[in-house]
Amino acid sequence: MKFVLDCLKGVALGAGAILPGISSGVLCVVFGIYEKLVNSILNFFKDIKNNFRFLLPIIIGIAVGVVLFGNLLRILFNTFPVQTKFCFIGLILGSIPSLFKTANNHKGFRLHYLIYTLSTFLFALFLLSLENTISNATTLANTSPLFLIFAGFIMSIGVVVPGVSSSVLLMILNVYDIYLFSVATVDLFVLIPMGIGILLGGFIFLKLIQYCLSNFHIQTYYSIIGFVLGSIPILYPGIEFNLTSFISIVLFFIGLYVARIFEKPH
């Protein structure tokens, strides 16, 4: 059962790497696996058996999520945008209590910690708001291998840092449409150099995150909370008094419940 649940988490992470405004890092936090995932990847060879056992179902799920369910979720976002967004908001908010608990484990709550949350919240809003202004860009994107490696490197920030959408970063570089088409058609001439960039950037930024968690644990978690909360205003589609809104609210509470099911003790 745990293997299946971890696969499902991976599916969501794969879809999060495709959908605008959704951060794979946020979903890792929602599912309670963020810190363990970072340590398992960076310390893989220190405990190969246990790290492989933990990472395998997640990697399988990510592959399935990118290839199959990424397109399905795109359809849901296009066909039932309000309902789908409310469900995601429920998932995100359902993870917040656990994050505060984890952040305060060592020394307890201090009011000034909220400065970190506010700072990253505003920064996340700034990044995600770029989606609306950049998604209509018509500039021809550079598709040379070196540029695609660079795009993958920048994309890795959104994969690693909770609340920063990798899709929005690709939109800034005007590579998002190429990325989507390449995933759908399995275009290796695009995917391989981008994959190289993601691996290089991922290792560097994971090292940075690990350092922050080891030396500034409380500050890092309060910063992560700000990034996570910064995803919600971008997702929020507004609400009206109709059947769609009623279903959306129901899905919101389902999302809250699911977040509690997926959540693991830190």
Side-chain angles (χ1 to χ4, degrees), residues 237-252:
I239 192 167
E240 299 176 358
F241 294 100
N242 53 33
L243 180 60
T244 297
S245 294
F246 174 77
I247 295 173
S248 300
I249 292 172
V250 171
L251 289 172
F252 167 80

Side-chain angles (χ1 to χ4, degrees), residues 20-229:
I22 302 295
S23 164
S24 296
V26 163
L27 296 178
C28 287
V29 171
V30 167
F31 298 141
I33 62 173
Y34 182 73
E35 192 168 352
K36 186 175 180 180
L37 190 64
V38 171
N39 290 326
S40 294
I41 293 172
L42 292 179
N43 301 312
F44 181 79
F45 293 105
K46 292 183 179 179
D47 189 357
I48 294 176
K49 182 179 179 181
N50 287 327
N51 288 332
F52 179 78
R53 186 181 300 169
F54 171 69
L55 292 172
L56 179 62
I58 295 176
I59 291 172
I60 292 174
I62 289 174
V64 173
V66 168
V67 176
L68 297 179
F69 290 92
N71 285 330
L72 173 61
L73 283 179
R74 285 185 64 217
I75 292 172
L76 289 176
F77 265 82
N78 290 328
T79 308
F80 306 104
V82 177
Q83 298 94 321
T84 306
K85 288 178 179 179
F86 266 96
C87 187
F88 269 88
I89 291 172
L91 280 170
I92 292 170
L93 284 178
S95 71
I96 297 299
S98 176
L99 279 178
F100 274 110
K101 183 178 179 181
T102 302
N104 296 325
N105 267 348
H106 296 305
K107 296 184 179 179
F109 174 73
R110 299 289 188 276
L111 186 62
H112 69 271
Y113 292 154
L114 294 178
I115 295 174
Y116 300 102
T117 301
L118 179 61
S119 299
T120 52
F121 173 76
L122 294 175
F123 184 63
L125 281 185
F126 168 73
L127 287 178
L128 292 174
S129 67
L130 292 176
E131 178 185 340
N132 293 328
T133 58
I134 295 173
S135 58
N136 295 323
T138 57
T139 306
L140 183 64
N142 186 341
T143 56
S144 69
L146 284 178
F147 182 80
L148 292 174
I149 290 173
F150 172 74
F153 183 88
I154 297 300
M155 180 184 178
S156 70
I157 300 174
V159 174
V160 171
V161 180
V164 180
S165 170
S166 55
S167 299
V168 171
L169 295 177
L170 290 181
M171 287 178 180
I172 294 173
L173 298 174
N174 201 29
V175 186
Y176 183 64
D177 289 339
I178 295 171
Y179 168 65
L180 277 186
F181 182 77
S182 299
V183 169
T185 59
V186 194
D187 186 350
L188 298 181
F189 289 101
V190 172
L191 295 179
I192 289 177
M194 288 191 70
I196 293 172
I198 291 172
L199 289 174
L200 291 174
F203 179 79
I204 292 172
F205 293 114
L206 281 174
K207 277 288 188 184
L208 178 60
I209 289 291
Q210 186 185 50
Y211 174 81
C212 291
L213 287 171
S214 298
N215 296 278
F216 308 99
H217 187 272
I218 296 174
Q219 296 91 328
T220 301
Y221 261 96
Y222 270 89
S223 298
I224 288 174
I225 291 170
F227 274 126
V228 172
L229 290 174

